[in-house]
Amino acid sequence: MAASGASASASDDVPTYEYIDINTKPFHVGTFEKFWKESLNPKYYSFQDVDQETEDEEFAAEIGILPETVNELKVTCSKDTLRCHPENQPPDTDVVPADPGLITLRMKKRRQDYKETLIRDSTSRQDFYATELEGLGIGKRPADLQDMVPEGEIILNVNVLFPILHERFKYFRARQTLHVLGSHRLTDLRDAICCLSDLQVSGEFSQTPDIAPEFISKDLFKSAFFFLEGIFYNDMRYPECKDLSQTIREWGESHNFPTFQTAKMEDTRFRDLRIKVGYPYLYCHQGDCEHVVIITDIRLAHRDDCLDQKLYPLLTYKHRMVCRKCGVCNLYISRWITTNDSFAPTDPCLFCEICFRMLHYDTKGNKLGQFLAFPYVDAGAFN
Amino acid sequence: MDYFIEPVKSDCEDILSRFQRTESVRYEEFATIWRKMDFPSIFYGKMPANETRAFCRLVLTTAYPFLLPPYNFQIRVGGLYLLYGLYNTQLAVPKEKISIALKDWENIMKFLQDALSSQHYDVCYIFRQLISDKAFYFAAMPKQLIFQVKRKPKRQVVCEEFRDRPARVKELITSDTLEEIMNVQEHYEKLKAAISATPGQPDPAISLINKDLGTSLQNTVTGYQKWLDGMAGKKNESGDAVADPGEGTSQQGESSRRAELLASIKSKSYGQLVEASKSRRHRQVEMDPLASEAERSHEPTRKRMPSLKARTKKNLLSKGNLKQEILEATKQWRLSVTEEDKSERPRQKARFKY
Ligand SMILES: [Zn+2]
Ligand SMILES: [Zn+2]
């Protein structure tokens, strides 16, 4: 039925399990992509819809049967044969039937009965936003055809976990999920990862609150690396970038580890990588902010995917953090934290931008009273 | 979500074993069972939208392995129909896709080729439908992997009744291996004879192995093959009886003829070996097809020792009456506990358990 890629079966670049259901053996992403394209009829991964009539004719011709037989098949195999209710009486799909035969349904039924005993039952907001975000990309087409994702492009599903900065995260792995394309470079992924430590501003700014945004860590410390399959990929796009992996490599050498290789993040496309799917890798930035990165899935782009190249790397899931709100208005997200503050009810105290300015400065922007002010980045800053 | 894997799997096994009982690969038969079981209702019940999606994905990934070996042809056909049904009746919008792993593709192509050469056109047509509906993701692996290392890894259980049986024996004992075993056996006997005190006669003290190892092995295999062929023959007869008088009969006939041909080729190759080895060994061998029967049914079973904790509990705690107190003492983890706290300890929250 399709051109078969006989060469593919024996190769190392056909992903297989290293540990079942956990991770695969390492394989070359570009070769994997090539194998799929060689073994598939391009029609199979095309974004175009197929016309049923011509499709049936081709089918008949391909396997050498009469059009009448195809018509017969069309009737016997039609999707109507799957329907279990009269055509004009669709069942209520929100309700589990009263006396279910399927085991799965019996379990669902128990849960439904339990939910009915609850006084209030609300979808968690986490789920609600997740649904919304997931829906954003589906079936998107670019305004300009130039930006169309090419047919047969590969999409990698990347999970980036947040580091455990707080006791609370010990039991829950907050993460964000991104879709990147095979043509993307590692730096594209790096720029798409939103981490709080990139936004930190260090220092005391009570005298000069206006210049605080100029000292964001992201702009000051630009180095970062990915560590994938024994290779450090360093971000070297700017002259002030340093090889963060150097210390690790030197340490490794002095402890008889095999020498690690390095490469440039901006020169490496995902297609060039040799990786394991499902295996935890490392992303490190700001010196010591470490994220576990897992590539959970690689596949050919599908008609129903977001096909606007500009929207990639596409965020498909992001854990929502609890925000700490301003201590005065309890309405806006906090931007400042003060200590030794004679105006504040607590020490330290959080303020939003507006309340902070109103309370601590006169209309001309002069500092009133004694306090120390530090920029504060809330965990919910990316929500 | 993972707690749904087991029930979904057993529902899939249920519908497939009903399909197996029809001894047919016709889609109509499958659809009848599908409707009778009201299978689409598996998706019913209120769930938050993203959970609906995750559930659909779970159902599809659970059904996917039935399309692949080690399942036999009929089950794989059922697996394909099942995927077709599940894909088209799921409630997620847009539909959740079925991930096909690159390593499985060639296998699926071979399966379709088999279906085509046995003229099971409905199988080909259904697959073609799924392709043109763009129901597949051409992926690295059949599911997303997140390095979920479990302390107790779950063994993947293959439903034994669905297995493609003949292949296993065939793979294990080919005529080449049989010949090899016989050669080794012969060599071994000669060696024993050579070192024995009475020349030409092996020492009875070291005759620890069944002298007819090769032959009995071969008999077992041939006997098994015959039994299988008998089963297949029966299946085909009843299949013919049930099948509609039109194209169905000719197809069934065609495929069974092919099976017969294959079987005869196989039995021939074993038969030849019997002749060859007999002549080589200059010895008459008695056929004993029944002796192997018992061996076949014998399957190694392993009994697990209960855990240390369980044993301690059994030995110590079940005897005395101080049981309750001891348990209580080990449960307290704070240095000091108020009386109310103590009485309140076995607190139970009415949480939902799967
Ligand atoms: Zn970070
Ligand atoms: Zn405020």
Side-chain angles (χ1 to χ4, degrees):
Chain A
M1 289 190 78
S4 71
S7 60
S9 62
S11 165
D12 284 346
D13 291 317
V14 176
T16 47
Y17 281 124
E18 182 173 46
Y19 298 105
I20 287 174
D21 284 351
I22 295 176
N23 68 278
T24 66
K25 290 181 187 152
F27 62 94
H28 187 263
V29 177
T31 318
F32 157 77
E33 178 190 3
K34 199 185 88 199
F35 282 157
W36 254 136
K37 285 200 213 162
E38 278 171 3
S39 38
L40 292 178
N41 182 333
K43 250 189 348 196
Y44 292 2
Y45 54 83
S46 147
F47 300 149
Q48 302 300 319
D49 283 311
V50 281
D51 177 40
Q52 199 53 53
E53 291 287 314
T54 46
E55 181 64 18
D56 284 342
E57 278 167 30
E58 273 176 40
F59 176 70
E62 224 170 272
I63 64 174
I65 50 173
L66 295 169
E68 291 89 79
T69 324
V70 176
N71 282 336
E72 226 170 87
L73 282 171
K74 215 169 167 177
V75 177
T76 42
C77 300
S78 104
K79 278 158 203 162
D80 292 335
T81 56
L82 298 165
R83 205 184 46 230
C84 301
H85 50 84
E87 194 165 4
N88 44 8
Q89 297 169 24
D92 182 1
T93 54
D94 278 350
V95 183
V96 180
D99 189 19
L102 301 173
I103 299 170
T104 314
L105 278 184
R106 270 179 241 154
M107 189 155 144
K108 278 192 174 178
K109 173 92 175 143
R110 275 202 300 133
R111 188 161 96 149
Q112 181 180 291
D113 293 347
Y114 163 78
K115 288 240 165 161
E116 274 164 15
T117 66
L118 295 180
I119 300 157
R120 84 196 155 112
D121 174 33
S122 53
T123 315
S124 110
R125 269 203 265 180
Q126 209 65 253
D127 288 343
F128 182 75
Y129 289 123
T131 317
E132 214 167 58
L133 197 56
E134 228 171 41
L136 276 182
I138 289 171
K140 269 245 169 88
R141 295 288 185 275
D144 185 357
L145 279 177
Q146 290 275 302
D147 298 324
M148 191 83 167
V149 172
E151 287 185 359
E153 173 64 295
I154 42 170
I155 294 181
L156 294 91
N157 205 352
V158 187
N159 274 6
V160 180
L161 273 62
F162 294 114
I164 301 170
L165 296 171
H166 194 278
E167 187 72 10
R168 257 199 322 210
F169 294 152
K170 255 168 109 165
Y171 308 101
F172 188 84
R173 288 297 152 81
R175 64 173 166 94
Q176 68 182 102
T177 303
L178 295 147
H179 285 178
V180 291
L181 302 176
S183 55
H184 275 135
R185 288 159 205 284
L186 287 176
T187 38
D188 293 317
L189 174 64
R190 176 211 183 327
D191 293 339
I193 295 174
C194 32
C195 173
L196 291 177
S197 54
D198 275 337
L199 292 190
Q200 297 300 335
V201 178
S202 39
E204 198 277 323
F205 289 92
S206 65
Q207 297 291 344
T208 50
D210 291 331
I211 64 157
E214 288 168 29
F215 292 89
I216 290 179
S217 303
K218 197 178 189 172
D219 303 327
L220 289 181
F221 313 107
K222 290 176 177 163
S223 314
F225 69 80
F226 282 101
F227 180 61
L228 314 171
E229 281 302 298
I231 304 173
F232 288 97
Y233 295 92
N234 286 295
D235 188 351
M236 289 298 194
R237 280 175 295 178
Y238 307 98
E240 59 270 40
C241 287
K242 282 191 230 160
D243 181 355
L244 280 184
S245 69
Q246 197 174 354
T247 356
I248 306 171
R249 283 186 290 119
E250 280 167 8
W251 180 87
E253 246 160 68
S254 65
H255 286 74
N256 289 328
F257 277 97
T259 21
F260 294 111
Q261 286 173 286
T262 57
K264 282 185 182 163
M265 206 191 271
E266 63 271 27
D267 292 345
T268 314
R269 290 177 308 163
F270 278 93
R271 185 169 276 130
D272 307 328
L273 290 174
R274 196 180 162 74
I275 42 165
K276 297 176 182 178
V277 168
Y279 197 74
Y281 295 114
L282 178 70
Y283 165 62
C284 176
H285 66 138
Q286 297 302 331
D288 65 348
C289 186
E290 298 174 335
H291 301 250
V292 168
V293 174
I294 299 179
I295 293 162
T296 56
D297 188 19
I298 307 179
R299 58 178 172 83
L300 298 188
H302 186 275
R303 181 191 63 192
D304 292 348
D305 281 316
C306 166
L307 295 180
D308 190 347
Q309 217 162 5
K310 274 201 207 137
L311 295 178
Y312 284 88
L314 181 76
L315 186 68
T316 56
Y317 178 86
K318 162 107 182 49
H319 187 80
R320 311 280 154 166
M321 309 284 186
V322 178
C323 291
R324 291 232 171 76
K325 292 194 186 114
C326 165
V328 177
C329 63
N330 200 22
L331 194 65
Y332 295 111
I333 194 168
S334 309
R335 299 288 293 276
W336 293 89
I337 186 165
T338 64
T339 56
N340 296 330
D341 190 349
S342 47
F343 303 118
T346 56
D347 189 2
C349 184
L350 293 166
F351 293 98
C352 71
E353 191 72 42
I354 299 165
C355 299
F356 174 72
R357 299 293 178 124
M358 269 204 315
L359 203 56
H360 296 91
Y361 300 89
D362 65 17
T363 44
K364 291 190 188 85
N366 298 311
K367 183 178 169 182
L368 305 171
Q370 276 306 307
F371 62 91
L372 296 173
F374 305 90
Y376 174 80
V377 184
D378 190 85
F382 285 113
N383 283 4
Chain B
M1 213 18 73
D2 284 0
Y3 29 74
F4 276 120
I5 292 178
E6 279 309 310
V8 170
K9 189 162 181 248
S10 54
D11 282 334
C12 291
E13 279 169 6
D14 188 16
I15 192 169
L16 288 176
S17 71
R18 287 185 203 207
F19 182 58
Q20 192 177 31
R21 260 173 268 148
T22 65
E23 291 173 353
S24 150
V25 290
R26 294 281 80 81
Y27 175 74
E28 285 146 301
E29 298 276 354
F30 179 83
T32 314
I33 302 169
W34 170 274
R35 285 190 299 266
K36 207 161 124 205
M37 285 179 78
D38 191 14
F39 216 80
S41 65
I42 200 166
F43 294 112
Y44 292 0
K46 205 177 162 123
M47 279 184 167
N50 70 322
E51 222 173 278
T52 309
R53 192 155 277 285
F55 180 73
C56 292
R57 194 178 309 152
L58 178 139
V59 171
L60 292 174
T61 44
T62 314
Y64 171 76
F66 293 108
L67 182 57
L68 303 170
Y71 295 111
N72 65 35
F73 183 78
Q74 196 203 1
I75 293 299
R76 292 176 71 183
V77 170
L80 177 69
Y81 295 160
L82 184 61
L83 281 175
Y84 176 72
L86 291 171
Y87 178 77
N88 284 303
T89 53
Q90 62 173 308
L91 297 172
V93 181
K95 289 190 164 77
E96 205 39 60
K97 310 298 180 297
I98 305 158
S99 286
I100 291 192
L102 178 58
K103 66 182 163 70
D104 300 332
W105 180 254
E106 213 170 314
N107 220 319
I108 294 171
M109 285 298 113
K110 241 176 238 155
F111 162 73
L112 287 172
Q113 206 56 53
D114 279 351
L116 185 60
S117 54
S118 324
Q119 300 179 348
H120 299 312
Y121 295 130
D122 39 3
V123 179
C124 305
Y125 189 76
I126 293 276
F127 187 79
R128 192 59 174 239
Q129 281 288 306
L130 283 171
I131 285 278
S132 60
D133 285 346
K134 310 241 179 267
F136 296 117
Y137 274 150
F138 302 108
M141 280 289 141
K143 58 173 116 174
Q144 298 206 353
L145 301 175
I146 50 169
F147 203 68
Q148 212 170 25
V149 182
K150 297 205 180 86
R151 209 157 282 171
K152 268 193 209 150
K154 258 214 174 123
R155 296 240 326 274
Q156 296 210 315
V157 196
V158 174
C159 186
E160 285 300 321
E161 277 136 54
F162 296 170
R163 246 183 212 282
D164 200 5
R165 280 178 186 281
R168 248 185 338 179
V169 176
K170 220 167 52 195
E171 272 163 29
L172 192 67
I173 304 159
T174 61
S175 36
D176 282 347
T177 46
L178 250 181
E179 201 169 329
E180 188 61 32
I181 289 171
M182 283 180 180
N183 285 342
V184 170
Q185 170 85 5
E186 199 181 344
H187 189 67
Y188 179 60
E189 291 292 335
K190 268 187 200 152
L191 254 175
K192 277 204 289 196
I195 59 161
S196 126
T198 48
Q201 279 288 325
D203 193 344
I206 53 167
S207 98
L208 298 170
I209 204 156
N210 184 0
K211 272 185 194 164
D212 301 333
L213 178 73
T215 344
S216 61
L217 194 61
Q218 171 191 315
N219 289 342
T220 314
V221 173
T222 345
Y224 181 64
Q225 202 61 48
K226 266 187 197 137
W227 173 76
L228 266 181
D229 293 346
M231 290 291 281
K234 245 189 248 164
K235 217 177 236 185
N236 275 321
E237 274 161 35
S238 57
D240 273 346
V242 176
D244 53 320
E247 44 178 18
T249 327
S250 67
Q251 283 166 29
Q252 291 280 5
E254 188 92 4
S255 55
S256 72
R257 240 174 286 141
R258 209 167 134 258
E260 268 165 30
L261 191 68
L262 278 174
S264 70
I265 292 169
K266 261 177 247 156
S267 59
K268 242 182 220 161
S269 66
Y270 287 129
Q272 272 169 3
L273 194 63
V274 174
E275 294 305 316
S277 59
K278 261 186 212 161
S279 59
R280 200 185 301 140
R281 296 169 110 216
H282 303 290
R283 192 146 46 104
Q284 278 298 312
V285 202
E286 259 179 75
M287 293 275 213
D288 189 4
L290 280 176
S292 46
E293 198 96 356
E295 283 167 40
R296 215 180 307 134
S297 65
H298 177 79
E299 280 215 345
T301 47
R302 203 163 36 136
K303 238 190 176 173
R304 256 276 198 64
M305 188 113 158
S307 73
L308 180 63
K309 191 180 164 195
R311 274 179 287 155
T312 319
K313 204 169 166 186
K314 193 172 155 238
N315 291 343
L316 292 175
L317 296 179
S318 58
K319 282 174 189 163
N321 285 335
L322 57 162
K323 184 176 167 186
Q324 201 51 44
E325 211 171 300
I326 293 173
L327 282 178
E328 200 60 26
T330 49
K331 263 189 199 159
Q332 297 299 347
W333 55 278
R334 275 168 292 188
L335 289 176
S336 58
V337 181
T338 59
E339 275 309 307
E340 301 117 78
D341 269 1
K342 234 179 205 168
S343 55
E344 182 192 312
R345 277 217 88 256
R347 215 167 82 201
Q348 279 201 338
K349 229 174 158 187
R351 286 199 88 179
F352 184 71
K353 280 244 265 325
Y354 285 96

